[in-house]
Amino acid sequence: MNNPNCTIYLVRHGQTVWNVKKLIQGQKNSQLTKLGIEQADATAAKLQKIVFDGVYSSDLDRAHLTASIIAKERNLIVSMTKLLREKNYGRYEGRAYDVFQSELKEYSDEFDSLPHDKKWDYKFPTIETDGEVVSRVITFLREVAIGHPGKNVLIVTHAGVIGNLLIHLGVWDYSEQYKRKLNNAGFLKLESDGIDFFVKEADGIDI
């Protein structure tokens, strides 16, 4: 019997210049490095036997190029959407990660003291909440799953998006998210009936 669920390969983009420089990217553009392109090529090779019915990506350059590399021999157009963008880090985008951590220390202590269900809506200054990120991403993923029953779909997005999704699904705990592996061009294999999501496999991402 054929699987009626949609199978989603959810990929993080390849390494970028700002990844190397340890700068907060958020919704600003930073280009893939030579290694980032090689990582996308390697993921393309791992997925070469998968027949995709559709390809989607964040509209940020790093995700779109990664998706284009993976899809280049499949004669499929990459559809872009803002719903798959990285978390909006507001005034911290383009700033050094250690400066970002230092300036938000007082808020981070308060955040860490909250129960799990209260963390989703916690608002760091100018930064999109985790709940807002998950809401827009889950909405999009459900639409994709409903539109591609029994099919395989490639989606390229960002580390923050994938991490928040894994917490939402109960695979990761908040306290673990920055200790878990989430490699550039790593991917999750998900199944969805249009409502629920089930993590089936992972490559380069801890589950």
Side-chain angles (χ1 to χ4, degrees), residues 5 27 34 40-41 67 84 87 107 154 172 174 180 198:
N5 292 339
Q27 298 190 1
K34 180 176 181 293
D41 280 328
L84 291 171
K87 178 189 287 188
Y107 301 97
L154 173 70
W172 284 8
Y174 261 116
R180 307 298 292 269
F198 308 94

Side-chain angles (χ1 to χ4, degrees), residues 54-58 67 77-81 84 140 144 148 153-157:
V55 182
Y56 302 88
S57 82
S58 155
I77 295 173
V78 179
S79 298
M80 295 184 290
T81 174
L84 291 171
F140 180 77
V144 167
H148 300 274
V153 177
L154 173 70
I155 296 179
V156 181
T157 184

